[in-house]
Every structure is written in C-alpha cells, then in structure tokens.
Amino acid sequence: MAADHAPRPAAATAPPLSTVAEQSGFVRTGRYDEVLALCAGFAARYPEAVRCIDFGTTPEGRPMKALVASRSGALTPEAARTAGLPVLLVQGGIHAGEVDGKDAGFLALRQALDGEAAAEALEKLVLVFVPVFNADGHERFGAWNRPNQRGPEEMGWRTTAQNYNLNRDYLKADAPEMRAMLGLVEAWDPIAHVDLHATNGAQFEHDISVQIEPLHSGDAALARAGLALRDSLLDDLAAQGSLPLPFYPSFEIHDDPSSGIVDGVSPPRFSHGYFPLRNRFGILVETHSWKEYPVRVGITRNLVVGMLEQTAEHGRAWLDTAAAADARATALAGQEVPLDYIATDRVRTVDFRGYAWTRTHSEVSGAPATHYDETTPQIWKMPLRDEVVPGRSVTAPDAGYLVPSRHAERVARWLDVHGVAYRRVAQPLPDAAIEAFRADAPRLAGTSSEGRQRLEVEGEWRPETRDLAAGALFVPIAQARARLAMAILEPQAPDSMAAWGEFNNAFERKEYMEAYVAEAVARDMLREPAVREAFEHRVAEDAEFAASPRARLEWFHRRHSSWDERLGLYPVFRTATAPD
C-alpha cells in the first residue's frame, strides 16, 4: 500500500525541484517554462536515473517534453526492451485546464526517486512521464478557464491552439501533438497508459474515478488482469481516505442525478478506448473538479504512486499476458469482433455519496435547474447500468483488406501513425474476388465535429469481382494490431476513416440524368416486359415511391448504363486470400 503523502502547505524552505504549486501551498500552478526547467532539473539531479527528452513540437513552437525515469539503467526504448522491463506512460494535461496530473506527477516522481514513495519501483520499470501533453493549450492561461473547477487560481485551456480536443483524436490523429504522442507510444510501447484528468459534472462526495480497458472489451486474459488492476488501485485509494468510483460519474440525463449512470466502453477517439486495440492497458483517471486543488493533487499523486507499485509488482506478468494477446490477435480471421459496446437494460442500485439537491424552475434559463447543498451529505440510491456487452460486431476477414491504389496514400497515413502492418501490391489484380460494402442511405452529420463532417452508413459486405490497379495496399488481419486495423477500416466502426468523413466523396452523387432525358430513357426501357412488370409492381406496393417523381425517374436511371456504379461503394475491400 502506498503511504499517504498528500500535499501540505509550502514549507519555509521548499525542497529541491519543487513546483510552483508546492511553493504556493497548491494555490497556483506554474507556466509551461516550469515544465522545461523541471525536466532539465530532474535530469541534472538524477543523471543515472532520469532523461529529459523532446518528442515533438507544438504548432506554436513549444517543445513537447517527457521525463524518462528508471533506476535500472534502461533509459532508452531499446534498453527497456532488452531488459524486458515494463514501461508505464503517465500523461498529464491533455486537457490543459485539468492540470492536476502535472503537479501530482512531478511530486510522485521526486518522491519515488528519493525513496519516499513506491520503494524500489523504479528499479523494476521505466516511467515515461509527460507533464503537459497540450502545451499550447496550457499557455492559454487565465482565471475561470474552468468555472466548475476549484483551483488553481489560473489554469490553461481545454483544447489546442488549433482548437483540437486531443482526447477525441487518438485514432484519427489530426493534431500534430497527437501524432507526436503516438510516435512516443510507438517507440516505448508502454504496457499501461495513464491519462490524468479532472472531471466535469455534478457535486458529490466521491473524489476520483478510475476506468480501465481492457475490462469489458478486448482480449479476455488482458481484461481479467485489467479488473484485478482496477480493484487494487481502488482499494489502495480507499485505504488512503479517498472515495473512488469504478465508473465515470456522468448522469444519463445531464444535470439530473435521479436519471442514474450508464457504464460503457469508450470508442478509440479516447485514450482508454484506444489502447485496448493495441492489447495494452488504457487507464482514465478523473479527480472530481469540485474538490479543492490541494486535495485533487494529493489524490492524483496517490494514484500515480499506486500505478508505480502495481507496475513494479505485476508489470512483467502483464507483458507476458500482452504478448499472448498479440499472438491471439493474429488469429482473429473468421471470428466475430466487436466494433463497439453497449450497456444492457439491467439496472442495479448502488449507494452513491452525494449531497442534498433540489431541481426547481430557473428564472435565468427558464428551464429546471439543479442546486446542490454541500452542507448536507446524502446517500443517493443510484440506478446503475453496468452490464456491458458487445454492440455491433463483424466477422474479421479471412485474409485482410485491399485498398485500391487511388486511396492508398490516404489510408497509409492512418496505418503508419498507428504501426498497423501493410504491404503494397506491385502487380494489378484483375477480376479480384473481394467483398465490397455498399452504403444504404448514408447519413452525414448536420454539424462538424473536430473540424470534420462525420458519416454513418448502413449496409453489409457482399461478394463482388473488381479490377484493382497496381499499387493497392494489402492489410493483413494476421497481425498483433488486427483490432486496430478493423477499427480504422471497418466502415461501421465508431471512429473509422469512414466515420470521420475521410471517404465522404465516395457517397456524393456527381453525375445526373436530366428529367426530360430520363423520361425518354424510361419510356424506351418500358418496352421491355420484365422492366415494365418490375416498375408497375414497385408503384403498386410502395406508396411513397409512387408519389415521388424523382424516385420514379431514378429507378430507371439506376438500371441505365450511365448510372455511376461506384456511388455508395466504400473504397476499401475485404479479401479471403492474400495477394501474391
């Protein structure tokens, strides 16, 4: 069990390498130049145990810093792999206003290096600590940037300088910062990634939530290990006085505690939805924003120390489990693989430590508003839906995916950033037997999300024969990152290339037949008895079709040689055989 080293008011003489937060009694937090100074300072004070590295540059020109810490001597990715050491990546400041992780991480690291916490853990693992992922957002500094958060006095901004929310970007990787982070992940291959946040939401007594995947999702053996890790972390936090939760404390109906909570598995735009696709642990940590800053930093510090201890004790076993999961992933061909997850309708009631609350009409908004009384703790009988099962599933292809050469570069950019294996097919593939997906009634989102217009498609894979030019990509399903490949390439996956609008052009109609031309074409086609019979049957059976001149004329156009047979054709195919 980790000892309780909650932050205290600043001493008369601050310890070396202390943060502005410590020096101010956790009233303030430092600016980004403090991260630069502390990164270099830790490396200078502990030269045998700490490296300060740059892993990218932000759009506003700031170096992205990480501290690599280990007493094993393994301070490079190659040395860590050679030594068989587990790598723990702890990430702060993805939402730079939620700055708890930066100050807590520096505190926990110094204590671990000085032997005051997580005794001997750094001899058995490598810690990669990113104090502030969103450095540009951190420097959009001001009071009240997070009005529902108690402290520090000033903090950074949620999004990047380009207005990306990085915790929506793990799979599509639009932001330069995310591409840099994924490069760091690819280099170090951490067995566990800890993403430190402070949650929004209602007022209640619980002070931290910890969610881990795989647990409901992913490889079954990793999920069992994830459950054991989560329970150990929660027990450790509770023993130190916290009131931890194993689920994200967000109500099903916003601002209405009586509506209950629905658990689930986040899609891979989020960190803890992404890492299970790599057969690694993704851990989302959310302190409660209404707790005072010293309290939040102390609890986050305890969580980081707990992760150091758990990784030191179990990390090598996790590596073995992850290696076996990688091997199992190479054999997913022909198996049902979930693309997303849902909570069932099964409800259980849990005791939830809240406060007395009322919901009354607001003269400000004109709508019902919730008011909490923090002087009156109250046990809420909270409806909880936490039975999580696969939602939409698909059968993994027998061999893999084929990407026509005309889309190869676009798809390769996605695959490269995630380390998904593929190869180029040098020769043309005439009359290739493939499966194609044609979208029925594609639905474009009415507003943009993260600068993209998202797309939803319905349809199914069906056998077809197509000619493929030289230069196509073959993405084998027999690889450790098979789940990641499917998340990118299956059109109905929630964060696929198709879902994020990469292929919207394939679903836009570009060529038309004018109505007067269609009339003439239709009358000519009606001379064929089979066509007339089919048309008259459709008119008789489908009143909506019968009442639509446009639909009736399009019925004929679709049967004419001028119809664009690629319209609605998803431009990635599945194949049962690997090309030569």
Side-chain angles (χ1 to χ4, degrees):
M1 182 190 305
D4 184 359
H5 286 273
R8 301 173 179 83
T13 302
L17 301 178
S18 61
T19 60
V20 168
E22 286 182 89
Q23 296 166 26
S24 68
F26 296 90
V27 173
R28 300 189 304 277
T29 192
R31 300 296 293 267
Y32 193 66
D33 58 2
E34 178 191 41
V35 171
L36 307 183
L38 285 175
C39 190
F42 270 86
R45 183 176 177 188
Y46 307 97
E48 79 294 347
V50 177
R51 288 177 62 220
C52 174
I53 64 171
D54 288 12
F55 65 95
T57 303
T58 71
E60 292 187 338
R62 296 183 175 89
M64 299 177 70
K65 292 289 187 179
L67 292 88
V68 179
S70 181
R71 292 277 185 201
S72 69
L75 294 177
T76 65
E78 297 75 18
R81 280 191 285 274
T82 299
L85 288 176
V87 176
L88 171 65
L89 198 160
V90 175
Q91 171 188 286
I94 187 172
H95 295 152
E98 304 167 30
V99 73
D100 310 19
K102 176 190 69 173
D103 292 323
F106 276 125
L107 177 60
L109 175 59
R110 190 186 71 228
Q111 291 175 341
L113 288 164
D114 290 343
E116 299 174 8
E120 301 181 355
L122 290 178
E123 297 176 3
K124 302 174 183 177
L125 60 83
V126 178
L127 170 67
V128 179
F129 172 46
V130 177
V132 178
F133 182 8
N134 178 11
D136 289 347
H138 186 281
E139 291 306 277
R140 190 176 170 182
F141 212 69
W144 295 101
N145 279 352
R146 281 179 55 80
N148 55 330
Q149 180 174 296
R150 288 177 173 160
E153 285 183 345
E154 296 180 290
M155 70 286 287
W157 194 256
R158 183 178 185 83
T159 56
T160 70
Q162 296 175 328
N163 209 35
Y164 284 115
N165 183 339
L166 291 175
N167 205 26
R168 306 295 185 271
D169 200 37
Y170 275 90
L171 199 61
K172 61 183 176 65
D174 281 337
E177 294 95 331
M178 183 56 72
R179 294 192 290 274
M181 174 59 71
L182 291 172
L184 185 72
V185 167
E186 190 67 21
W188 285 96
D189 190 18
I191 185 60
H193 174 276
V194 182
D195 193 2
L196 301 173
H197 291 251
T199 188
N200 303 320
Q203 290 176 275
F204 44 75
E205 290 192 284
H206 295 282
D207 48 25
I208 188 171
S209 70
V210 181
Q211 290 179 278
I212 293 179
E213 291 295 337
L215 191 154
H216 302 297
S217 69
D219 182 82
L222 270 179
R224 289 191 292 272
L227 176 61
L229 171 58
R230 186 201 69 181
D231 289 349
S232 294
L233 290 172
L234 294 179
D235 289 346
D236 188 26
L237 291 165
Q240 296 175 89
S242 280
L243 295 171
L245 292 168
F247 49 79
Y248 191 87
S250 179
F251 305 137
E252 186 168 11
I253 300 175
H254 180 67
D255 206 32
D256 184 357
S258 66
S259 65
I261 290 172
V262 180
D263 202 1
V265 175
S266 291
R269 73 193 72 168
F270 300 95
S271 64
H272 62 304
Y274 173 74
F275 281 91
L277 300 178
R278 300 179 73 108
N279 298 317
R280 304 297 185 261
F281 295 118
I283 303 166
L284 175 69
V285 178
E286 298 269 4
T287 55
H288 187 20
S289 61
W290 286 106
K291 306 303 176 188
E292 299 289 347
Y293 194 55
V295 174
R296 301 202 316 270
V297 172
I299 295 168
T300 305
R301 172 263 172 212
N302 291 345
L303 182 284
V304 173
V305 170
M307 271 305 302
L308 287 170
E309 293 176 337
Q310 290 293 319
T311 306
E313 182 176 357
H314 301 291
R316 286 184 183 268
W318 295 343
L319 289 176
D320 291 340
T321 304
D326 286 347
R328 284 188 289 273
T330 66
L332 284 180
Q335 296 186 34
E336 286 292 304
V337 177
L339 297 181
D340 57 22
Y341 294 82
I342 58 172
T344 69
D345 292 333
R346 193 183 77 174
V347 179
R348 65 189 182 97
T349 301
V350 297
D351 288 343
F352 191 92
R353 298 277 294 268
Y355 297 110
W357 60 280
T358 58
R359 193 162 171 79
T360 58
H361 178 79
S362 168
E363 63 181 12
V364 176
S365 68
T370 303
H371 306 276
Y372 298 94
D373 178 4
E374 290 183 280
T375 66
T376 310
Q378 188 179 79
I379 300 297
W380 298 344
K381 296 297 181 181
M382 178 68 71
L384 174 64
R385 291 167 50 204
D386 62 350
E387 182 181 60
V388 179
V389 299
R392 188 191 299 270
S393 295
V394 295
T395 303
D398 288 338
Y401 298 91
L402 282 169
V403 182
S405 57
R406 60 185 178 271
H407 295 289
E409 296 306 318
R410 181 190 297 267
V411 174
R413 287 197 296 271
W414 278 61
L415 302 178
D416 286 341
V417 78
H418 298 291
V420 175
Y422 64 90
R423 63 179 172 85
R424 294 185 182 271
V425 182
Q427 301 299 321
L429 299 174
D431 296 324
I434 53 90
E435 285 184 300
F437 185 100
R438 291 183 180 271
D440 302 326
R443 296 183 300 277
L444 290 167
T447 58
S448 68
S449 175
E450 293 295 298
R452 289 172 173 261
Q453 188 176 22
R454 285 179 57 85
L455 175 75
E456 292 182 10
V457 293
E458 294 297 331
E460 60 184 39
W461 294 98
R462 295 187 178 94
E464 288 192 17
T465 300
R466 303 200 72 84
D467 294 330
L468 290 162
L473 303 184
F474 172 62
V475 185
I477 199 65
Q479 60 173 299
R481 296 185 185 166
R483 287 186 178 86
L484 195 48
M486 293 182 71
I488 292 169
L489 296 176
E490 282 293 331
Q492 294 177 302
D495 284 323
S496 67
M497 294 185 70
W500 279 110
E502 285 281 3
F503 300 122
N504 284 359
N505 216 24
F507 307 100
E508 295 176 6
R509 187 172 172 184
K510 305 293 186 178
E511 189 60 84
Y512 295 86
M513 182 184 289
E514 301 292 348
Y516 76 94
V517 177
E519 281 279 348
V521 166
R523 292 183 185 282
D524 188 56
M525 292 174 69
L526 283 170
R527 294 192 181 99
E528 293 290 333
V531 173
R532 177 175 289 277
E533 180 182 356
F535 177 68
E536 290 175 349
H537 177 78
R538 181 71 184 274
V539 170
E541 296 295 323
D542 188 339
E544 184 177 352
F545 172 82
S548 171
R550 180 176 178 180
R552 290 165 68 126
L553 291 177
E554 186 176 294
W555 189 92
F556 290 96
H557 189 185
R558 284 179 176 273
R559 285 155 177 79
H560 192 264
S561 61
S562 66
W563 180 258
D564 180 8
E565 66 88 19
R566 289 186 184 179
L567 180 61
L569 176 66
Y570 175 58
V572 176
F573 309 131
R574 292 159 56 115
T575 178
T577 57
D580 294 335

